[in-house]
Amino acid sequence: MARRATLTRMAELPPPTLRLRLDAEALASNWRALDAMSGRAAAGAAVKADAYGLGVGNVMPVLRDAGAKDFFVAHWSEVPEVATHIPASQLSVLHGPIHSDDADYARQAGVRPVINSIEQAALWLKSGGGPCDLMIDTGINRLGIAMRQIHDATLAGLEVVTLMSHLASADEDSPLNAEQLARFKAAAAAIPAQRLSLANSAGIALGSDYAFDVTRPGLALYGGVPRAEMAGTIRQVAWPQAAIIQRRKLQAGDSVGYNATFTASEPMAAGVISLGYADGYLRCWSGKGALQSGEALLPLLGKVSMDMVVVDLSQAPHLREGDWVDVPYDLPASSRTSGLSQYELLTGLGKRFRR
Ligand SMILES: *Cc1c(COP(=O)(O)O)cnc(C)c1O
């Protein structure tokens, strides 16, 4: 037993069969574009959920070097990795302190909690207070202080660095955008703060009225296009590839995969690809998706399995086991085809991709 464990540890892993290329130049270019679109406001960066699935370790140095100075995560558990790349004072934790342990941790780590309720404000003050951010709910009814609470005496004790709110429908031309803007201005008039922040990626495209001092793009940094105004400016950042792990010849009448949903009508070459729903390539791609090799399209045959898909190799008969194929990941197009949101497409990319 002991000997086997030692060998397993020492043996060098063979190359992976899934890889995710991050176009660092496109990522930096997207941040600069969003910073420019933010006008006089500084663009920050939402790096929650492992930088939307692309890997904090890869993304943080690029955003930092591009000039981002305000970073946002959701969970306390996300702090240690992100904080290895930047001064802790540049990091805000959106979920806020719900236990005194959270407040103690924020103070020790030097990161700012985003206070989301009167209870959290009291908790933060009781634990010693200090610089924090404050979230106002202006209409999404998720996290944040309600508008009827903005004059609460507890809030007056806070040392608010960034007063923020979050838009519910910035990716649409909804009257809710202007309503939230007006409420946010009213909150800003009532609560002293060093800086104001309202816009996420889509909010940046709503114009300078929405930019204030700091913007908080996430999706568009990573290649998502939440509004038409950003098409042509935002570049694809995530480029997944998967390897062929078997080639096979189908005969007329052979069916493929679970529940035999595809049956070959003539002899054809098929490739089994090391990519499945456990990797974030979900069942909804079955019957719609196609992988790619250069210009050649490799349509999916049958259902997506946990670890595999089978594709038609008719357009690329030269491909062999071990060859890489591209997983098309232009986010707006992939979203239309799959029915998944651009956010889900990014954050679903699994652990088995070498990033
Ligand atoms: C996730 C998040 C963002 C980033 O939103 P995108 O739509 O990805 O740009 C900004 N602000 C808050 C509060 C968030 O939770």
Side-chain angles (χ1 to χ4, degrees), residues 114-125:
V114 177
I115 304 296
N116 290 300
S117 67
I118 302 297
E119 290 74 18
Q120 289 183 8
L123 178 74
W124 180 242
L125 290 171

Side-chain angles (χ1 to χ4, degrees), residues 16 25 28 83 103 107 117 153 181 211-212 216 249 269 277 337 341:
E25 177 42 42
R107 189 166 298 97
S117 67
L181 177 61
F212 295 95
R216 307 186 307 271
K249 196 90 196 159
Y277 56 75
T337 306
S341 72

Side-chain angles (χ1 to χ4, degrees), residues 138-154:
T138 54
I140 194 168
N141 282 296
R142 226 172 45 170
L143 291 176
I145 307 278
M147 286 303 289
R148 66 186 134 72
Q149 299 174 313
I150 60 174
H151 298 287
D152 192 291
T154 313

Side-chain angles (χ1 to χ4, degrees), residues 91-132:
L91 182 56
S92 300
V93 182
L94 293 162
H95 280 190
I98 59 168
H99 298 117
S100 59
D101 289 354
D102 302 332
D104 294 343
Y105 178 77
R107 189 166 298 97
Q108 273 168 28
V111 299
R112 280 201 308 284
V114 177
I115 304 296
N116 290 300
S117 67
I118 302 297
E119 290 74 18
Q120 289 183 8
L123 178 74
W124 180 242
L125 290 171
K126 186 169 163 237
S127 81
C132 64

Side-chain angles (χ1 to χ4, degrees), residues 46 48 52 94 135 142 164-166 199-202 216-220 343:
K48 58 197 180 185
Y52 286 47
L94 293 162
M135 176 68 79
R142 226 172 45 170
M164 61 178 95
S165 188
H166 192 53
N200 61 346
S201 299
R216 307 186 307 271
L219 182 72
Y343 298 86

Side-chain angles (χ1 to χ4, degrees), residues 4 49 60 80 84 102 105 107 120 138 145 161 174 196 202 215 226 242 279 294 322 341:
R4 192 182 301 162
M60 282 299 296
T84 60
D102 302 332
Y105 178 77
R107 189 166 298 97
Q120 289 183 8
T138 54
I145 307 278
V161 177
S174 161
L196 304 176
T215 58
D279 307 301
S341 72

